[in-house]
């Protein structure tokens, strides 16, 4: 007992999960790198690829949420329940939006364009208070807020979200 691949995998998974739990307690939605840096405090030799893999498996199992749309950097959420997020288009920070609920009507819920609805991934975009403060003194055009997401393949994702 205590060694071998299964035990190691479990330890890695537990370490990743407990890091996610700590972020969750602070209502922070970390990037992969932020998770990696914190997991290494417990398991100094773990690789970034292993952390990636564990995050993906946990997300696929519905234990955590993987957040990412269009060109936004992927972030993770230790809280797997359905809730709405808001992401800052300038710094990429993600917060929970309290009191905002998005629910399909009961009739739609079972036949959503032929889909069976099993959950919700909803993300508003905005500019966070920190970024607004930083830009307060500077005269910038309002289009700035959209620049990080206005190129490449991100347009399709943006338009898709509006429906
Ligand atoms: Zn920001
Ligand atoms: Zn969240």
């Amino acid at each position: 007992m205590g060694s071998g691949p299964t035990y190691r995998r479990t330890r890695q998974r537990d370490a990743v999960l407990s890091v996610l739990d700590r972020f969750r307690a602070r209502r922070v939605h970390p990037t992969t790198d932020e998770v990696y840096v914190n997991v290494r405090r417990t398991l100094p030799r773990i690789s970034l690829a292993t952390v990636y893999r564990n995050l993906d498996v946990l997300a696929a199992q519905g234990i955590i949420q993987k957040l990412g749309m269009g060109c936004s950097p992927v972030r993770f959420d230790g809280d797997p329940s359905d809730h709405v997020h808001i992401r800052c288009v300038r710094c990429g920070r993600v917060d929970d939006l309290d009191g905002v609920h998005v629910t399909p009507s009961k009739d739609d819920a079972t036949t959503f364009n032929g889909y069976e609805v099993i959950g919700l991934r909803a993300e508003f975009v905005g500019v966070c208070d920190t970024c607004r403060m930083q830009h307060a003194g500077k005269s910038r055009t309002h289009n700035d807020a959209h620049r990080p997401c206005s190129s490449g393949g991100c347009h399709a994702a943006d338009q898709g979200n509006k429906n």
Side-chain angles (χ1 to χ4, degrees):
M1 277 306 283
S3 59
T6 307
Y7 176 73
R8 218 174 87 218
R9 269 204 297 278
T10 308
R11 263 185 30 116
Q12 290 167 342
R13 180 184 178 279
D14 289 350
V16 169
L17 253 187
S18 78
V19 164
L20 261 290
D21 276 347
R22 285 204 295 277
F23 276 114
R24 177 185 180 175
R26 287 160 45 212
R27 308 195 73 189
V28 170
H29 303 75
T31 61
T32 312
D33 281 346
E34 286 165 345
V35 175
Y36 174 56
V37 165
N38 281 275
V39 171
R40 286 217 311 185
R41 288 180 191 152
T42 320
L43 301 174
R45 289 165 61 193
I46 197 167
S47 71
L48 181 59
T50 301
V51 171
Y52 261 118
R53 199 171 56 242
N54 277 279
L55 286 168
D56 273 340
V57 169
L58 288 166
Q61 291 171 341
I63 296 167
I64 64 170
Q65 277 193 63
K66 187 176 183 176
L67 315 173
M69 291 179 177
C71 56
S72 320
V74 170
R75 285 174 181 269
F76 293 89
D77 192 342
D79 179 358
S81 68
D82 288 347
H83 58 281
V84 178
H85 290 107
I86 186 159
R87 182 188 294 258
C88 176
V89 295
R90 292 224 173 103
C91 68
R93 173 177 138 192
V94 173
D95 283 299
D96 295 331
L97 261 191
D98 295 325
V100 177
H101 300 284
V102 181
T103 325
S105 75
K106 262 218 159 67
D107 292 340
D108 290 341
T110 46
T111 53
F112 229 46
N113 275 353
Y115 279 74
E116 179 195 0
V117 177
I118 57 168
L120 170 78
R121 299 283 183 273
E123 194 173 284
F124 285 83
V125 289
V127 180
C128 74
D129 50 358
T130 311
C131 290
R132 282 208 320 278
M133 297 274 274
Q134 275 170 9
H135 288 256
K138 303 172 190 171
S139 60
R140 296 249 179 180
T141 67
H142 62 275
N143 279 336
D144 261 14
H146 278 119
R147 195 162 294 157
C149 234
S150 63
S151 64
C154 304
H155 251 49
D158 277 348
Q159 281 160 8
N161 289 342
K162 293 222 167 71
N163 259 333

